[in-house]
Amino acid sequence: SFRCVPQVHGAVRNAFDHVFSTLLIEANSSTDNPLVFSETNEILSGGNFHGQIVATVLDYLAIAVSEIASISERRVEKLVNPHMSGLPAFLSQSSGLNSGYMIPHVVSAALVNENKVLSSPASVDSIPTSAEKEDHVSMGMTSALKLVKIVKNVSYVLAIELMAAVEGVEFHLPLKGGIGIRAAESWLRSYVSPMKNQDRSLSTEIEQISQKLLDGELVASLET
């Protein structure tokens, strides 16, 4: 989950590029039925309205994006596990009295589990409609709706990882990370205060950071 980040994230990027290219082609294609060719006075009935290609690639992207959360959750587990990180259990100096990042990790695991269920492709199903005239249906809307939910879940998991990672890094003070690490830490700390040794609900902060990640704010901050 650490050494193979480029391979996993790279696979997701490749999937996204393929899906984006496919959607661009479809968005610029004619999906009318019938097709009317005024130059030749032809009216041809066809099946360009069928959404199979869109449904299929959206299911593909759902599977790919889910892996971002899957590998992220594994890193969170390493952070909260003192046998792996060498840090205090659950990133709390008083882990016997406080849960620290135990519950956020549980949230990550639950979201990854939900994504695994949602990654089941909708496009392999078909229920005939229109009095059997449309006897094979793509079910692409279900693919799209599932993908939206998966992306949001992924943003939550990444927010939790970022928060836990910064909490963990600060146990190494006065040692500091590289310029990129320090920039990311500074960005996060402008929104999320350290947990220290007192539990509190992190739900509001997780929600806030996840939305800012979706908005691209962290990336923009690191690029400046």
Side-chain angles (χ1 to χ4, degrees), residues 1-222:
S1 59
F2 287 93
R3 64 178 175 172
C4 295
V5 169
Q7 288 72 26
V8 174
H9 286 208
V12 178
R13 281 177 171 267
N14 286 347
F16 178 84
D17 289 343
H18 171 66
V19 173
F20 188 67
S21 174
T22 300
L23 294 180
L24 278 181
I25 291 172
E26 291 302 303
N28 288 283
S29 299
S30 174
T31 57
D32 294 333
N33 182 50
L35 295 174
V36 178
F37 299 90
S38 59
E39 298 86 353
T40 58
N41 292 321
E42 289 182 285
I43 298 179
L44 302 177
S45 179
N48 284 3
F49 59 85
H50 201 295
Q52 189 66 52
I53 186 63
V54 173
T56 300
V57 296
L58 292 180
D59 281 337
Y60 175 34
L61 188 58
I63 293 169
V65 172
S66 292
E67 285 305 293
I68 295 291
S70 181
I71 197 171
S72 174
E73 180 275 329
R74 288 292 79 201
R75 293 190 294 264
V76 175
E77 196 281 330
K78 301 297 189 298
L79 282 166
V80 301
N81 185 339
H83 302 294
M84 299 296 295
S85 68
L87 300 174
F90 308 112
L91 304 177
S92 174
Q93 288 282 18
S94 54
S95 58
L97 299 174
N98 291 279
S99 297
Y101 273 80
M102 177 194 297
I103 300 305
H105 171 243
V106 171
V107 173
S108 294
L111 292 170
V112 168
N113 174 259
E114 183 177 7
N115 283 352
K116 289 176 181 178
V117 174
L118 292 172
S119 292
S120 178
S123 58
V124 299
D125 187 27
S126 176
I127 299 176
T129 60
S130 298
E132 288 286 340
K133 193 68 174 177
E134 297 175 357
D135 63 340
H136 185 272
V137 181
S138 69
M139 300 298 176
M141 182 54 70
T142 304
S143 302
L145 292 173
K146 294 195 301 90
L147 176 59
V148 170
K149 178 62 175 172
I150 287 171
V151 169
K152 186 60 178 175
N153 285 351
V154 171
S155 74
Y156 286 137
V157 176
L158 292 178
I160 291 168
E161 181 188 3
L162 181 60
M163 292 164 62
V166 170
E167 195 84 16
V169 164
E170 291 176 350
F171 279 104
H172 292 287
L173 291 174
L175 296 176
K176 296 181 179 181
I179 185 171
I181 298 297
R182 296 199 303 273
E185 182 180 0
S186 176
W187 179 86
L188 182 81
R189 282 291 176 244
S190 66
Y191 299 110
V192 181
S193 60
M195 177 78 83
K196 295 185 177 179
N197 293 321
Q198 183 61 50
D199 277 353
R200 69 175 191 274
S201 172
L202 295 174
S203 60
T204 300
E205 287 142 308
I206 292 170
E207 188 75 52
Q208 181 184 33
I209 297 303
S210 72
Q211 187 57 53
K212 291 184 179 298
L213 291 177
L214 289 173
D215 292 341
E217 186 176 311
L218 174 58
V219 174
S221 174
L222 293 177

